Amino acid sequence: MLRYLIRRLVALVPTFLLASVIVFSAIRLIPGNTIDMMMSQNDISASVQTREDLIKALGLDQPVLVQYWHWISSIVFHGDFGRSLWTGDSVTRLVAERMPITLYLGVLAMIFALLIALPVGIISAIRQNKPVDYLGRVFAITALSVPPFWLGTLVVVVPAMLWGIAPTVQYVRLTDDPLLSLRQMVPPAIVLGIALSGVTMRMTRTMVLEVMRQDYVRTAWSKGLDERTVVLRHVLKNALLPVITIVGLQLPLLIGGAVVIEQIFVISGMGQLLLMAVSQRDYPVITGIFLLVGVGVMTINLLVDISYALLDPKIRQG
């Protein structure tokens, strides 16, 4: 197991470097120029000298390769993601302030998604072609079809129009007021959770059905074991392997979903920070957020691989 873990960790190094190159290069392909936006918004005289001074002050006069080296070396050796071009604030500090909020929302959303998807998927498979199965399949298709931003807008607008209830504008920390914080975060978490649950539910149902057709499960049934024992001991352990992969691949999507959901529910997380940085072409903030998301994706994939190895010894021996 240790050798398998070392191999996976070594493989992350070139992946991280490739991700950093893609993030650094792709962000600079966004239409628009930071310098022009700064000069127009701050009513700076558009003289050539002023423009050149601003470019030099922000370090944008250096070759792209030199900018990349300074950026990636600061991250690797000092853990410094740079400073915002607009405010001069540390990107590390900005992300550290917003990331717990987005993680809080993401964890709640994933909990709701699993609480919905796993039971519905398992029950649908066990009661195949029964009314409860049809209801579960309809729910899964609906969850896949309804855009999260539309459902989120509906959740905000309908209560406001009918009962005058609007979402809390000021973010409340869980440590300050747990009940108010949960009341603020549960609706957006449910919206995100529903969006994620459709794929997981369908995969759970498919894999449980496939495993239940295996010979060893038929043998368990023939021995007179009750349904609960067969499902929990013989079916789920093998059926959940692909489901773990699906869940791991969906976790990064929480960041993309949070960008829109945080705007709708007025939550000051990384989604709002990213939208603001993109609108201002604030390269250090954008690259810092996307690189951290990339590292998160690699970490999640590593954890998924480890869980696979723990559940299936053939993987770590291969």
Side-chain angles (χ1 to χ4, degrees):
M1 183 64 187
L2 181 60
R3 293 175 58 186
Y4 175 79
L5 181 59
I6 293 174
R7 290 200 307 267
R8 297 297 300 131
L9 289 173
V10 171
L12 291 181
V13 176
T15 306
F16 172 79
L17 292 176
L18 178 61
S20 68
V21 172
I22 294 174
V23 167
F24 187 85
S25 305
I27 296 304
R28 282 155 176 75
L29 298 178
I30 299 177
N33 186 283
T34 306
I35 304 301
D36 291 338
M37 295 179 67
M38 285 184 175
M39 296 178 70
S40 61
Q41 291 191 18
N42 293 282
D43 295 326
I44 300 176
S45 175
S47 67
V48 176
Q49 185 61 42
T50 303
R51 182 182 179 85
E52 291 179 353
D53 291 342
L54 189 57
I55 292 174
K56 186 175 181 179
L58 297 176
L60 300 177
D61 59 324
Q62 300 175 344
V64 175
L65 290 178
V66 175
Q67 293 182 44
Y68 171 77
W69 170 249
H70 288 164
W71 175 68
I72 195 64
S73 61
S74 297
I75 293 174
V76 173
F77 299 116
H78 306 289
D80 183 11
F81 286 84
R83 293 186 172 275
S84 168
L85 297 179
W86 285 76
T87 63
D89 294 330
S90 170
V91 174
T92 305
R93 185 183 66 81
L94 291 174
V95 172
E97 290 177 351
R98 305 291 189 104
M99 182 177 289
I101 302 174
T102 300
L103 289 178
Y104 177 23
L105 174 61
V107 169
L108 283 178
M110 186 53 65
I111 290 174
F112 282 120
L114 294 178
L115 288 177
I116 295 170
L118 294 182
V120 173
I122 294 169
I123 294 172
S124 292
I126 296 174
R127 301 289 183 265
Q128 185 183 13
N129 296 329
K130 299 291 178 60
V132 68
D133 179 29
Y134 292 126
L135 288 176
R137 289 154 68 179
V138 168
F139 169 78
I141 295 173
T142 304
L144 289 170
S145 305
V146 175
F149 70 85
W150 181 85
L151 184 59
T153 304
L154 201 65
V155 170
V156 172
V157 171
V158 172
M161 293 179 61
L162 297 181
W163 305 293
I165 301 174
T168 305
V169 176
Q170 184 66 34
Y171 171 70
V172 180
R173 297 181 181 275
L174 186 63
T175 54
D176 296 337
D177 191 336
L179 291 179
L180 183 57
S181 178
L182 285 173
R183 191 173 67 181
Q184 180 185 23
M185 298 296 282
V186 163
I190 291 177
V191 171
L192 269 180
I194 290 174
L196 296 174
S197 64
V199 175
T200 307
M201 179 265 167
R202 290 180 65 84
M203 177 59 72
T204 302
R205 179 183 181 276
T206 300
M207 294 312 303
V208 170
L209 283 174
E210 182 176 336
V211 173
M212 288 180 67
R213 298 188 182 103
Q214 300 298 317
D215 291 338
Y216 65 88
V217 177
R218 294 194 185 98
T219 302
W221 285 114
S222 65
K223 289 180 178 180
L225 296 179
D226 61 277
E227 184 179 71
R228 180 178 179 181
T229 301
V230 173
V231 172
L232 294 181
R233 292 187 179 181
H234 299 279
V235 175
L236 287 186
K237 183 177 180 180
N238 294 301
L240 290 182
L241 279 172
V243 177
I244 292 173
T245 303
I246 291 295
V247 173
L249 293 175
Q250 282 188 318
L251 288 175
L253 298 178
L254 290 173
I255 300 296
V259 171
V260 178
I261 296 299
E262 287 179 2
Q263 286 292 109
I264 294 174
F265 288 90
V266 198
I267 300 173
S268 55
M270 283 181 60
Q272 278 196 349
L273 178 63
L274 179 60
L275 275 180
M276 185 182 301
V278 170
S279 65
Q280 295 177 336
R281 306 299 186 270
D282 200 338
Y283 299 140
V285 177
I286 302 173
T287 52
I289 292 176
F290 276 117
L291 189 62
L292 284 173
V293 172
V295 171
V297 172
M298 290 186 287
T299 303
I300 291 169
N301 288 337
L302 177 63
L303 294 176
V304 170
D305 290 341
I306 293 174
S307 65
Y308 256 53
L310 291 174
L311 293 172
D312 189 350
K314 292 184 294 183
I315 294 177
R316 61 175 179 265
Q317 292 173 0

